[in-house]
Amino acid sequence: MFNKIPLAWLQVTREKTRLAVAIAGIAFADVLIFIQMGFEGALYDSATKPHRTLQADLVLINPQFQTLFSVKSFPRERLYQALSYEGVNKVSPLYISTGQWQNPETRVSRAILVWGVDPASPTFKFPEVNRNLDQLKLLNQVLFDQSGRPEYGKVADIFNQTGTVETELNNKIISVKGLFTNGSSFAADGNVITSDSTFLQLFPDRTPAEIEVGLINLTPGADIERVRSQLITGLPNDVKVLTTEEFAQIEKDYWASGTGIGFIFGLGVGVGFIVGIVIVYQILYADVSDHLPEYATLKAMGYTNLYLLGVLTQEALLLAILGFLPAFALSFGLYQVTYAATLLPISMTVDRAVTVLVLTIIMCSVSGAIAMRKLRSADPAEVF
């Protein structure tokens, strides 16, 4: 008969106040996990987006390269040596450095990431960049990242109204001749793309012979791994040959293990998980304590500890679902608010939602298993 009665549901919903407290506690723990995972995902996505948008099959970098925030150069001649290998169709250099952008309205300067590209060869997969490459062939003209921080000024608005914006970059007058969308990251609040010639004028201490990234495009049908192996074998060891995904992974690894940020986000997820376990345990423990005579009666009737554990597990799963739903909705809204405030690419994903749901179920199941210790003490002889 008891198998047909939704005992777990009746137990969970009997005390409305206790149920509300439990849902609020689990939702709080889930929101904490969602926020930490969201920031962690935004960190990695924003940091590696430029790498993944490079229009190349292989890249050359300095073996000591760790992050775009502090780039290391290598001899440009290595790039042209790579051009002699079978399967390599074309190569192009990429210069990277941090400059000082002057807000055209307030005249306040702010650090910005500057990319120097060959205007005769597409470097990025951004359609708006490739449409305006010809604009960069003239000196002192740049393309501006319209998704950067607002502290750079209302550049996009002014450009859309007038067709050009003049300001200073590294104390040199430049003109904005186009917009593109990349976005800010934990390392760079904004981006500017210009020609290699303009880049070298903006950074007079730099020489054309030293570049940060070499882009290699292969002929159609070429075996990437075979060409890569040939380049690794033939080129000096002052360069490393990578795919664009491996290049992005280096950046991700830097932020995950080379700084304290990745650890902090991971710790936040762990804290949220532990908080959830404690909250659910307290709820289930109080439920067991209040209904100890009833559980003892069930044991006297022949129901085993395994059956009672099943009831507790069902209660835990119900609490997990009821707590997850408002947490998901609230976190979705918080992601939108965070994006508007920081312009970081933080958004709800299916994988993240499923991961948090699974963590919530595990969290509540562990709490139920711990609370079972109190249930085992329900001895009919002692209770009655």
Side-chain angles (χ1 to χ4, degrees):
M1 178 179 68
F2 282 106
N3 291 332
K4 298 180 181 179
I5 298 176
L7 186 58
W9 174 255
L10 294 175
Q11 289 280 76
V12 166
T13 57
R14 182 173 179 271
E15 296 282 348
K16 298 296 189 294
T17 301
R18 181 179 294 171
L19 174 61
V21 171
I23 292 175
I26 296 170
F28 171 77
D30 281 354
V31 167
L32 181 58
I33 295 174
F34 266 124
I35 293 300
Q36 297 299 318
M37 292 181 70
F39 274 120
E40 184 181 44
L43 165 64
Y44 298 147
D45 291 345
S46 62
T48 59
K49 184 177 180 179
H51 307 67
R52 294 192 169 103
T53 54
L54 290 174
Q55 196 155 297
D57 298 304
L58 296 170
V59 297
L60 296 182
I61 61 170
N62 187 304
Q64 297 182 357
F65 185 102
Q66 290 182 299
T67 174
L68 295 176
F69 187 70
S70 179
V71 291
K72 294 185 179 296
S73 306
F74 67 90
R76 181 173 178 170
E77 63 182 294
R78 300 288 177 260
L79 186 59
Y80 295 107
Q81 288 174 354
L83 190 57
S84 65
Y85 285 78
E86 182 182 356
V88 176
N89 182 34
K90 65 177 181 177
V91 298
S92 57
L94 179 60
Y95 298 88
I96 307 171
S97 190
T98 301
Q100 291 294 318
W101 173 275
Q102 187 181 87
N103 185 315
E105 299 166 290
T106 65
R107 301 300 176 183
V108 175
S109 295
R110 189 180 183 89
I112 194 168
L113 198 61
V114 184
W115 304 77
V117 305
D118 180 359
S121 177
T123 300
F124 294 97
K125 297 176 182 177
F126 301 120
E128 57 268 45
V129 171
N130 295 329
R131 285 196 302 266
N132 290 295
L133 279 179
D134 286 342
Q135 300 281 358
L136 301 182
K137 292 180 179 179
L138 297 178
L139 285 176
N140 302 325
Q141 299 196 357
V142 305
L143 304 179
F144 180 78
D145 180 6
Q146 61 183 337
S147 294
R149 294 288 303 168
E151 287 79 3
Y152 292 117
K154 298 180 180 179
V155 178
D157 293 339
I158 298 174
F159 178 82
N160 289 329
Q161 293 173 4
T162 64
T164 185
V165 179
E166 284 198 354
T167 186
E168 290 186 9
L169 179 57
N170 280 7
N171 297 318
K172 292 182 172 59
I173 297 177
I174 54 93
S175 297
V176 175
K177 292 299 181 180
L179 304 173
F180 68 99
T181 303
N182 181 76
S184 59
S185 69
F186 281 75
D189 290 334
N191 300 268
V192 161
I193 297 176
T194 188
S195 68
D196 46 7
S197 299
T198 299
F199 180 94
L200 294 172
Q201 284 200 350
L202 293 171
F203 301 92
D205 57 327
R206 297 290 303 277
T207 65
E210 297 291 323
I211 64 175
E212 280 65 54
V213 181
L215 306 180
I216 301 175
N217 292 95
L218 306 184
T219 56
D223 188 325
I224 293 180
E225 286 304 319
R226 184 182 63 81
V227 175
R228 180 187 175 188
S229 298
Q230 292 177 347
L231 292 173
I232 292 175
T233 303
L235 294 177
N237 58 9
D238 58 356
V239 291
K240 181 182 287 188
V241 186
L242 304 171
T243 63
T244 53
E245 188 59 36
E246 291 171 335
F247 185 32
Q249 188 63 42
I250 290 179
E251 187 81 26
K252 181 178 179 179
D253 291 343
Y254 172 81
W255 290 102
S257 57
T259 67
I261 298 178
F263 172 79
I264 291 172
F265 290 145
L267 181 63
V269 172
V271 169
F273 185 77
I274 293 173
V275 167
I277 288 178
V278 173
I279 291 172
V280 178
Y281 167 72
Q282 292 290 344
I283 297 297
L284 293 179
Y285 183 87
D287 179 75
V288 171
S289 298
D290 290 349
H291 298 90
L292 207 56
E294 289 86 347
Y295 283 117
T297 300
L298 290 175
K299 293 177 75 171
M301 294 172 62
Y303 288 91
T304 64
N305 283 328
L306 184 61
Y307 170 79
L308 298 180
L309 176 60
V311 173
L312 270 185
T313 301
Q314 291 176 47
E315 289 186 41
L317 293 177
L318 287 171
L319 290 174
I321 300 299
L322 293 175
F324 173 81
L325 293 176
F328 175 82
L330 182 58
S331 298
F332 188 87
L334 288 175
Y335 280 178
Q336 303 302 312
V337 173
T338 302
Y339 173 76
T342 66
L343 297 180
L344 291 172
I346 181 171
S347 61
M348 185 64 69
T349 64
V350 175
D351 290 344
R352 185 176 303 141
V354 171
T355 299
V356 175
L357 177 59
V358 171
L359 285 176
T360 307
I361 292 174
I362 294 174
M363 175 175 70
C364 294
S365 299
V366 170
S367 301
I370 298 174
M372 183 62 188
R373 294 185 304 171
K374 177 66 176 177
L375 193 56
R376 288 197 178 108
S377 67
D379 188 342
E382 292 184 1
V383 174
F384 299 105

